[in-house]
């Protein structure tokens, strides 16, 4: 019997994406909205876009059957974020999110996504936009105050190709082998300011 004190929730199994380009990743630190997240460009990943929609539909139908609501209605939130960049280009993104705490035996316990390198070793380097990653996630349905929500829940990220703060690949990948000339002293650079997010015109919630 379901616990009446808990929100009605349905979760899918864990899925893993193919290699995608990370957009606005906040994986070692929380975003300004709270929690951890990484986005993926659906216009560049049409197959993933379709697959996420199919996975969400399965969870939605399961929830409708279990909790007795009309499956033909739409969720109260948008599964995909849509908007325009500062250059006026439209975008559609999937946002995979993880809250920074979870409740264990009545206590709030800090949590964070598992981040590994291509060999599955722990990765502590900052992950910048443009990095090539695989994302482990599940689809979650939640009912809150009579409203129905679907979301993509982040669990782990594997970094296949790490970009610099400028979003570029490594210098070796770009220029090839080094040549004779100037050599850096190795002094720490001034940290780059985080990129500002574009306007988000969709309605979205984190449930």
């Amino acid at each position: 019997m379901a616990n009446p004190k808990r929100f009605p929730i349905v979760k899918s199994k864990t899925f893993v994406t193919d290699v995608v380009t990370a957009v606005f990743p906040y994986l070692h630190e929380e975003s300004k909205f709270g929690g951890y997240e990484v986005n993926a460009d659906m216009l560049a990943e049409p197959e993933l876009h379709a697959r996420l929609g199919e996975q969400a539909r399965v969870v939605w139908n399961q929830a409708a059957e279990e909790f007795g609501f009309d499956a033909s209605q739409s969720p109260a939130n948008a599964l995909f974020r849509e908007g325009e960049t500062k250059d006026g280009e439209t975008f559609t993104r999937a946002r995979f999110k993880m809250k920074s705490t979870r409740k264990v035996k009545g206590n709030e316990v800090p949590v964070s996504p598992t981040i590994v390198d291509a060999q599955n070793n722990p990765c502590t380097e900052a992950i910048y936009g443009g990095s090539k990653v695989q994302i482990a996630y599940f689809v979650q349905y939640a009912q809150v105050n009579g409203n129905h929500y679907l979301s993509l829940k982040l669990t782990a990220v594997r970094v296949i190709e790490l970009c610099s703060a400028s979003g570029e690949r490594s210098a070796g990948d770009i220029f090839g082998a080094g040549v004779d000339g100037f050599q850096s002293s190795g002094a720490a650079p001034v940290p780059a300011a985080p990129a500002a997010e574009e306007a988000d015109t969709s309605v979205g919630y984190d449930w």
Side-chain angles (χ1 to χ4, degrees):
M1 181 176 177
N3 184 347
K5 295 183 179 180
R6 294 184 60 84
F7 294 130
I9 287 176
V10 174
K11 298 179 181 180
S12 73
K13 69 177 184 178
T14 298
F15 301 102
V16 178
T17 69
D18 294 331
V19 178
V20 298
T21 301
V23 179
F24 294 123
Y26 292 89
L27 298 172
H28 289 301
E29 62 180 5
E30 296 185 53
S31 75
K32 63 181 180 181
F33 303 109
Y36 304 94
E37 67 176 80
V38 60
N39 294 256
D41 181 1
M42 295 295 91
L43 299 182
E45 304 289 345
E47 292 184 4
L48 176 59
H49 192 185
R51 189 158 60 248
L52 292 173
E54 293 168 359
Q55 293 164 351
R57 173 52 61 182
V58 170
V59 171
W60 183 256
N61 289 344
Q62 181 183 341
E65 182 177 353
E66 184 171 343
F67 301 118
F69 64 87
D70 184 1
S72 66
Q73 65 180 292
S74 299
N77 65 315
L79 186 64
F80 301 106
R81 303 176 67 199
E82 297 182 346
E84 289 187 354
T85 67
K86 61 183 179 181
D87 297 322
E89 297 181 0
T90 59
F91 66 78
T92 300
R93 297 190 186 122
R95 178 167 59 177
F96 304 84
K97 293 197 67 177
M98 172 187 279
K99 291 184 177 180
S100 59
T101 62
R102 66 184 178 93
K103 188 166 289 188
V104 178
K105 296 182 179 180
N107 298 316
E108 292 291 336
V109 177
V111 293
S112 59
T114 299
I115 312 297
V116 298
D117 64 16
Q119 300 299 315
N120 293 332
N121 300 307
C123 175
T124 58
E125 288 85 356
I127 313 301
Y128 294 101
S131 296
K132 301 295 184 181
V133 301
Q134 288 180 283
I135 304 168
Y137 67 96
F138 61 91
V139 182
Q140 177 174 288
Y141 160 87
Q143 185 183 140
V144 183
N145 297 327
N147 295 315
H148 308 281
Y149 300 92
L150 280 175
S151 55
L152 302 171
K153 295 298 186 180
L154 173 67
T155 61
V157 170
R158 178 158 64 179
V159 182
I160 306 302
E161 181 180 300
L162 184 65
C163 283
S164 69
S166 64
E168 298 291 344
R169 296 171 296 164
S170 69
D173 289 338
I174 298 171
F175 295 110
V179 298
D180 292 336
F182 169 75
Q183 291 186 340
S184 170
S185 65
V190 177
E197 291 213 38
E198 296 91 347
D200 179 8
T201 59
S202 66
V203 177
Y205 303 90
D206 178 29
W207 298 106

